[in-house]
């Protein structure tokens, strides 16, 4: 590996958004809350923020480009109305102008929902139950092994089953019954990179389904949980890619602010151009999270026919002020690929966020 001074690169990402204050009489030490209003029986809540991010990283891949500055806009709007019969109806919008790398920070959802004692239905751009009901290595702030470091160097852990992400879908989530909850979703079409001239570079799936199952139960001072998720979909023959067919099993244990979790993920050849890829992953981690601060450490090992990826990371956040958070991560990665070689290194990311 080359000298750190020769290879250290500085990247800056900026997440900026419309910041709306709460009541102007709020005390500084109490912070400014989200904008909340009631209109025509709707409870409406708007949150937004701004953050500046920088990273230094060291790797041995000369093809890795220095990252350009990134400007992102962020806002979240939630509106809910409860009918006289007790049916909760509403919609949720979470948007930024560029998808964040961290699963805990990404936003690109627009969906409506209705909830009763018999479950919840969501329609729109939203993650499916194979993701939302799955347990895996705990993520804090910038995401550790599935985090912002991959904006600058290295690739992320799978963490959960390869799924349909924020494609349009219809979702049903059951109510908890004895600690057991399930969900199913259907996406008529999943499209990514549709403008690519070469059809093989497109992601085009039809009739994609996701299934999720989650079980939680208190045992003494602990809350123990297990999960299973499965995603399937038919690839457009023009892409020559394999169908979507991925699953994961996860577990989690919590006691107060302490949490520990992990998962096994099987991707197989899901949506790959090459066959016999057979990718799988094991991940795990621990975390300690309170309203004012949190830390986590996680690790993942991903293996396929011609490559492997080893990741270990630690990071956390500290609330400097009710509206200001300092976030940081450091991740070590080692990616090996036959006939290509080894790319290894360390990425460190720091961010200061203003959220209202």
């Amino acid at each position: 590996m080359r000298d750190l001074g020769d290879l250290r690169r500085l990247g800056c990402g900026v997440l900026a958004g419309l910041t709306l204050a709460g009541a102007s009489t709020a005390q500084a030490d109490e912070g400014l809350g989200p904008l909340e209003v009631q209109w025509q029986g709707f409870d409406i809540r708007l949150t937004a923020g701004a953050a500046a991010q920088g990273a230094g990283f060291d790797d041995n891949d000369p093809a890795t480009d220095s990252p350009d500055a990134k400007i992102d806009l962020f806002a979240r709007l939630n509106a809910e109305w409860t009918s006289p019969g007790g049916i909760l109806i509403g919609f949720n919008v979470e948007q930024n102008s560029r998808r964040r790398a961290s699963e805990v920070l990404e936003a690109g959802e627009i969906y409506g929902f209705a909830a009763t004692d018999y479950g919840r239905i969501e329609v729109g751009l939203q993650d499916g139950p194979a993701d939302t009901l799955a347990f895996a290595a705990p993520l804090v702030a910038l995401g550790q092994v599935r985090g912002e470091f991959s904006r600058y160097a290295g690739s992320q852990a799978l963490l959960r089953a390869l799924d349909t992400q924020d494609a349009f879908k219809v979702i049903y989530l059951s109510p908890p019954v004895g600690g057991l909850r399930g969900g199913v979703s259907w996406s008529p079409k999943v499209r990514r990179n549709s403008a690519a001239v070469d059809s093989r570079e497109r992601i085009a799936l039809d009739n994609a389904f996701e299934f999720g199952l989650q079980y939680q139960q208190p045992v003494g001072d602990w809350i123990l949980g297990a999960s299973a998720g499965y995603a399937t979909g038919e690839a457009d023959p023009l892409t020559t890619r394999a169908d979507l067919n991925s699953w994961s099993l996860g577990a989690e244990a919590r006691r107060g602010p302490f949490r520990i979790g992990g998962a096994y993920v099987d991707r197989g050849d899901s949506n790959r151009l090459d066959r016999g890829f057979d990718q799988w992953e094991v991940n795990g981690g621990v975390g300690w999270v309170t309203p004012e601060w949190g830390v986590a450490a996680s690790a993942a090992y991903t293996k396929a026919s011609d490559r492997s990826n080893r990741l270990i990371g630690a990071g956390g956040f500290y609330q400097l002020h009710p509206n200001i958070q300092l976030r940081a991560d450091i991740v070590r990665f080692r990616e090996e690929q036959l006939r290509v070689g080894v790319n290894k290194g360390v990425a460190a990311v720091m961010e200061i966020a203003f959220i209202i």
Side-chain angles (χ1 to χ4, degrees), residues 171-298:
I171 304 172
Y172 170 74
L173 299 171
S174 76
V177 179
L180 184 66
R181 190 181 191 194
V184 59
S185 71
W186 171 65
S187 297
K189 293 181 182 295
V190 180
R191 298 292 185 266
R192 296 284 187 276
N193 200 29
S194 298
V197 176
D198 187 344
S199 61
R200 295 174 300 177
E201 297 178 0
R202 304 172 193 165
I203 303 299
L205 297 168
D206 298 319
N207 292 317
F209 288 87
E210 290 188 32
F211 303 90
L213 196 64
Q214 183 187 96
Y215 179 74
Q216 293 190 80
Q217 201 65 238
V219 178
D221 294 332
W222 292 83
I223 297 177
L224 305 182
S227 68
Y230 174 65
T232 181
E234 304 167 0
D236 187 326
L238 288 176
T239 68
T240 71
R241 291 177 177 268
D243 292 340
L244 175 65
N245 185 22
S246 182
W247 58 273
S248 70
L249 298 174
E252 183 178 83
R254 297 191 180 199
R255 182 178 181 179
F258 178 72
R259 61 190 65 182
I260 180 171
Y264 173 83
V265 183
D266 190 299
R267 176 180 178 172
D269 293 339
S270 285
N271 212 225
R272 295 286 304 186
L273 286 171
D274 49 337
R275 303 301 191 265
F277 188 66
D278 295 330
Q279 189 176 37
W280 57 269
E281 175 185 292
V282 289
N283 62 71
V286 296
W288 185 280
V289 181
T290 74
E292 293 79 25
W293 64 275
V295 293
S298 55

Side-chain angles (χ1 to χ4, degrees), residues 121-209:
I121 294 176
E122 300 176 352
V123 180
L125 306 179
Q126 164 71 311
D127 289 312
D131 177 80
T132 58
L133 295 181
F135 292 126
L139 303 178
V140 172
L142 295 179
Q144 293 76 60
V145 297
R146 191 175 173 86
E148 293 293 277
F149 82 95
S150 65
R151 273 184 154 184
Y152 307 97
S155 56
Q156 294 178 317
L158 293 170
L159 214 67
R160 299 173 175 86
L162 185 71
D163 57 46
T164 59
Q165 298 182 335
D166 291 331
F168 176 85
K169 56 176 65 72
V170 179
I171 304 172
Y172 170 74
L173 299 171
S174 76
V177 179
L180 184 66
R181 190 181 191 194
V184 59
S185 71
W186 171 65
S187 297
K189 293 181 182 295
V190 180
R191 298 292 185 266
R192 296 284 187 276
N193 200 29
S194 298
V197 176
D198 187 344
S199 61
R200 295 174 300 177
E201 297 178 0
R202 304 172 193 165
I203 303 299
L205 297 168
D206 298 319
N207 292 317
F209 288 87

